[in-house]
Amino acid sequence: MPAELLIEQPACPKHMEYGPCGGVEFDGACEVADFRCVFLDTPTVRWHGGDSSPAPDAPGASRMREVLATRQIVVTDFPARALDAASLAECAAVLRGTTDAVLAGDSGRERVQFPPAYRTALIRAEGVEVWSGFTCRDRNRVAMEAELAALAHAGVSGVHCVTGDHTRTGARPDAAPVFDLDSTQAAALARAAGHLVSVAEAPATPPVDRRPARLLEKERAGAEICFVNHAGGVEPVATFIAEAQALGSRLGFIPCIPIVLDHDSAELLRSFTTLVLPPGYLDRILAAADPRAEGVAAAVELGRGFLALEGVVGVNLSGGTQFGGELEFARALAEIAAELGHAA
Ligand code: SF4
């Protein structure tokens, strides 16, 4: 073929095999490069990594399975400052006794975090269980296997496998992006290491009609829980769950509840990729005489709506705040978790 007829196809900047990621823009553009997401016009990639033969459950996974067998759970985001053991301990102390686990994950503004297993050990030492975020951005598969072994030893309750934001977004664009694996492959690796594995799915992000099918492939790889990204309220989440179940999914679902208490937490939430909030949610809170009280009430109301859905095994209180507001934000999370814990 003449060279002038060869048109170079763009490649996924995250090297994903089981794409697309959750960051596809609403118009179909790649979140990090100047072209259409390469997975939008191709069939959903079927899991072809073989049946995973899971190792026996890690102790933390067994503990969380026992809780999930008896009731719905409340998982809270964890607002502590990165690389600050004192902040981790203070926030954990505030949340102790109210949350079933803290979701200690990635942060766009603080890409450098304590390694997941070390952070898990620090938080668990304060009497709080941990559901650890686990991204493919900063480690190759060997380093990921080592981290999974360390997480099991540290007693992590669950491992939340995401491909991760690209280094071109967030605070460390100078770092090389690794992406040796993607979230689906990471789910298989984590399950094989004996973990209770969760993944994320974004129902409102293109290709909306194929998000349930993509989730099913993550389930085939080893995922058992799906954290449902902000999708616009109870009805869109109910529709997404029903569509996944109609395809045969038996996952447990944990919808994310946006936590907004003031302009700072609203700003941080707006930085989440492809965010869709329930209609009027932000306005209701920010226009209130007491935004904090209104934010707590709105979160509890939305949480109760999610917890009433079939297939929902818990809720995630999702969000954060600016520097200096961590403890106050943790107190609000504890308040909401305590309210919803009674409902669960
Ligand atoms: S939007 Fe995500 S999955 Fe699609 S090409 Fe870009 S990085 Fe890859």
Side-chain angles (χ1 to χ4, degrees):
M1 185 181 291
E4 63 271 21
L5 293 182
L6 288 173
I7 301 169
E8 196 177 330
Q9 295 296 315
C12 172
K14 295 182 185 174
H15 314 149
M16 291 187 75
E17 184 167 351
Y18 299 91
C21 70
V24 185
E25 305 286 349
F26 291 127
D27 64 358
C30 173
E31 68 166 336
V32 286
D34 193 16
F35 51 70
R36 183 172 165 81
C37 170
V38 300
F39 291 99
L40 290 191
D41 306 313
T42 56
T44 300
V45 183
R46 303 295 304 266
W47 170 247
H48 50 267
D51 287 337
S52 56
S53 41
D57 269 346
S62 295
R63 283 198 310 276
M64 184 51 73
R65 276 186 207 290
E66 281 171 21
V67 177
L68 284 165
T70 58
R71 61 177 172 81
Q72 293 168 304
I73 61 170
V74 179
V75 179
T76 62
D77 278 10
F78 193 58
R81 297 180 198 193
L83 310 180
D84 185 335
S87 175
L88 261 71
E90 285 169 359
C91 288
V94 168
L95 287 160
R96 187 169 47 229
T98 62
T99 183
D100 290 295
V102 295
L103 181 63
D106 192 22
S107 162
R109 76 176 184 212
E110 293 171 307
R111 291 286 189 226
V112 183
Q113 301 269 346
F114 284 139
Y118 181 60
R119 183 165 50 173
T120 296
L122 288 177
I123 298 171
R124 290 203 67 235
E126 300 299 325
V128 175
E129 297 289 4
V130 179
W131 203 299
S132 180
F134 189 61
T135 85
C136 305
R137 180 187 55 243
D138 305 316
R139 309 169 191 86
N140 69 10
R141 66 186 72 201
V142 174
M144 289 174 79
E145 286 175 24
E147 191 64 52
L148 287 168
L151 278 165
H153 191 249
V156 78
S157 294
V159 177
H160 187 53
C161 296
V162 296
T163 302
D165 299 331
H166 199 279
T167 51
R168 282 181 224 161
T169 68
R172 291 304 298 269
D174 59 317
V178 180
F179 297 118
D180 194 5
L181 302 179
D182 63 24
S183 55
T184 306
Q185 295 161 323
L189 204 64
R191 186 68 198 100
H195 290 293
L196 176 60
V197 176
S198 64
V199 290
E201 200 52 73
T205 302
V208 172
D209 58 336
R210 286 196 285 125
R211 286 287 166 184
R214 177 167 187 260
L215 177 61
L216 213 67
E217 301 312 319
K218 292 181 180 178
E219 184 173 352
R220 290 190 175 117
E224 295 176 74
I225 303 282
C226 171
F227 282 73
V228 186
N229 284 8
H230 306 291
V234 175
E235 269 190 36
V237 169
T239 301
F240 174 72
I241 292 173
E243 287 173 359
Q245 289 175 335
L247 292 175
S249 174
R250 301 181 63 196
L251 289 167
F253 291 88
I254 299 184
C256 298
I257 302 171
I259 306 302
V260 179
L261 307 169
D262 50 26
H263 284 276
D264 282 353
S265 48
E267 271 321 301
L268 195 123
L269 204 66
R270 281 194 187 103
S271 73
F272 288 17
T273 52
T274 54
L275 172 78
V276 182
L277 295 180
Y281 193 84
L282 272 188
D283 293 342
R284 165 189 169 180
I285 296 167
L286 296 178
D290 183 348
R292 183 191 188 279
E294 193 67 22
V296 168
V300 170
E301 199 177 293
L302 186 58
R304 288 190 173 134
F306 285 144
L307 288 167
L309 297 177
E310 195 217 324
V312 166
V313 299
V315 287
N316 166 228
L317 310 187
S318 164
T321 190
Q322 306 296 337
F323 291 108
E326 296 88 358
L327 262 186
E328 191 45 43
F329 197 80
R331 287 188 191 105
L333 291 177
E335 213 174 294
I336 300 163
E339 281 286 324
L340 288 174
H342 296 146

